[in-house]
Amino acid sequence: MTQIQMLYTKPEVGDSIETVDTPALVIDLDVVDRNIEAMFANFKDKSVTIRPHLKTAKSPVFAKKLIELGATGICVAKLSEAEVMAQNGVGDILITTEIIGKAKMEKLFDLLRDHPAVRLVVDSKAGVDMLAAAAKAFQHKEQIMVLIETNVGQNRAGLEHPKDVVKLAKHIQDQNSLHFIGVQGYEGHVQLLRDESERKTKSKESMDKLGKIVSELKAAGIHVPVVTTGGTGTSPWCAENDFVTEVQPGSFIFMDTAYRNAGQKFELALHLVATVISKPDAKRAVIDSGYKSLSTDSGMPEVANIANLTYEPGGDEHGILKSASGGEVALEIGDRVTITPSHIDTTINLHDYYYCHRQGKIEAIVPIANRGKVQ
Ligand SMILES: Cc1ncc(COP(=O)(O)O)c(C=O)c1O
């Protein structure tokens, strides 16, 4: 197949952010810096380490920035994300989703050969046996660091009952190729609860479950050096528990309306810039951004730079802006509109680049290297 080379010349570093073609993801780096500082400040006097989740930012550039500022390492959700991070010099990675299947094993052991600090989660005997068999088949030399994923209320993956966790931990310890290092207990079901006291109560319920699991492991004589948990909506509370050693928030770095609506005080650092391409009547402006540039799984994105306008998708490539009060829309063809995504993880995954600026001047054009890395 013919390879198509993308020749990318405009805009350049130093240009005004206004020169960026649309739709484009634009990031205010001053706001990113403030968000990182605000999140990390929560743990200054705590013994927990911070391992931010890069499933959100999807870029080794931001992974390295977080590590420079004090993160011990990073989390990613998928093996293919870990591959890109490792290729770009980030080796201390926790992959927070179970890795299963023959095709995955081959890639995983390729990665582990050069990057032995990659950590994995398992939640089944089948998963452990698959890893141990692959370690043998690929003649892997070093022990692989493994955590058990626990279910602390999200009812996604993970083992719920402490006795099952102990049984699986012992099974891991029985494998020469594996090294049990702890548990992951992410409480994803509470992160976006809007009522802070409800979020706090539910987060505590999850931490109590996690604490019981850790106690049961210790009572069985099993060393548990790592207990990792927490997202943007709960990490500071998680860190109040003595048994928690690590937090893994992700969305705080850029934020979105879902987290803002849940009362998070981090600032909105990322926006989509769009252009009005059609105005068929006075009450409707059509922009160049639909489902392929803005996700809607967490509700409608919001128009940020003009008051009283609503956004709705008008198909894959189009978005429709209307006045919330039903009146005329004060936009002309060619006008640029700034939109705040409702869910950054799924929106970022639709784009190739971040256009990063400070005070309107482009400082970096960062490839979203993990875009589409879903395997
Ligand atoms: C296992 C795990 N940890 C941490 C996070 C980060 O959470 P947040 O984006 O809420 O900060 C996620 C997000 O989905 C996750 O799946």
Side-chain angles (χ1 to χ4, degrees), residues 132-177:
K136 196 170 171 197
F138 292 110
Q139 298 178 355
H140 192 69
K141 300 271 180 303
E142 304 206 37
Q143 277 201 317
I144 302 158
M145 288 186 279
V146 176
L147 294 92
I148 295 178
E149 175 162 37
T150 64
N151 175 11
V152 293
Q154 187 173 17
N155 296 333
R156 192 166 67 178
L159 292 178
E160 186 171 352
H161 300 293
K163 289 205 175 346
D164 293 337
V165 180
V166 171
K167 197 171 162 198
L168 192 63
K170 286 185 174 165
H171 186 57
I172 294 168
Q173 289 182 326
D174 287 343
Q175 316 302 316
N176 288 335
S177 53

Side-chain angles (χ1 to χ4, degrees), residues 57-76:
K58 286 187 152 290
S59 148
V61 171
F62 284 98
K64 286 181 191 167
K65 184 177 174 77
L66 287 156
I67 290 169
E68 265 168 38
L69 292 171
T72 39
I74 60 160
C75 298
V76 296

